[in-house]
């Protein structure tokens, strides 16, 4: 019996999001990054904050960790992260929901993207009835 999340035949299975630490594959690259982080305190602080945020994204643990992360980012003294944290505070409830709930609007966004692509392809070439057929009868 197939699980409900398994992909249809011919489609690639979904890949899990990777944590940023996994992206450094080679030992010499790891050493270089660590040397850079040791030399620059701001870079190290940014790496720590970005890694914590990426962990919230991949584990959906925003409910427990987002408030502290935003506070730490604002207190870090890094203008880019401070601005990002300020932007998160503007719609904090939506950000909290996005980082903690398992619901996703990905399927809807995919259909909207497909419809926009069809509209761009057919601009000036066909009447609305043909566009309607292409939207409602995907190939």
């Amino acid at each position: 019996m197939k699980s409900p999340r398994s992909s249809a035949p011919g489609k690639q299975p979904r890949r899990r999001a990777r944590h940023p630490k996994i992206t450094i594959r080679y030992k010499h690259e790891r050493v270089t990054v660590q040397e850079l982080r040791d030399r620059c305190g701001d870079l190290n602080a940014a790496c720590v904050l970005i890694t914590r945020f990426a962990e919230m994204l991949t584990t959906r643990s925003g409910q427990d960790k987002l408030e502290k992360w935003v506070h730490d980012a604002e207190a870090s003294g890094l203008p880019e992260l401070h601005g990002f944290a300020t932007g998160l505070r503007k719609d904090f409830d939506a950000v909290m929901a996005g980082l903690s709930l398992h619901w996703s609007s990905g399927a809807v966004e995919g259909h909207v993207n497909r419809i926009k692509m069809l509209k761009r392809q057919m601009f000036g070439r066909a009447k609305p009835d043909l566009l309607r057929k292409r939207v409602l009868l995907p190939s």
Side-chain angles (χ1 to χ4, degrees), residues 50-108:
I50 291 167
T51 301
R52 284 176 45 204
F53 192 80
E55 184 180 327
M56 279 190 291
L57 282 173
T58 56
T59 61
R60 303 244 184 221
S61 58
Q63 190 75 28
D64 306 325
K65 301 176 182 178
L66 183 61
E67 182 65 42
K68 179 160 178 32
W69 187 90
V70 170
H71 179 342
D72 292 347
E74 289 175 338
S76 70
L78 301 169
E80 294 82 7
L81 289 175
H82 185 273
F84 180 66
T86 302
L88 292 180
R89 283 212 189 270
K90 288 181 181 176
D91 199 2
F92 194 77
D93 293 335
V95 174
M96 179 67 76
L99 290 175
S100 56
L101 301 177
H102 292 283
W103 296 327
S104 172
S105 62
V108 174

Side-chain angles (χ1 to χ4, degrees), residues 114-115 118-119 130-138:
R114 182 180 62 84
I115 290 169
L118 288 171
K119 183 180 172 187
L130 181 57
L131 176 61
R132 188 175 298 114
K133 286 180 184 177
R134 285 197 66 189
V135 169
L136 296 177
L137 302 171

Side-chain angles (χ1 to χ4, degrees), residues 104-131:
S104 172
S105 62
V108 174
E109 294 294 333
H111 288 297
V112 169
N113 190 27
R114 182 180 62 84
I115 290 169
K116 286 181 178 181
M117 183 225 18
L118 288 171
K119 183 180 172 187
R120 281 191 296 270
Q121 284 178 343
M122 296 179 62
F123 181 78
R125 294 191 179 109
K127 295 180 181 175
D129 59 331
L130 181 57
L131 176 61

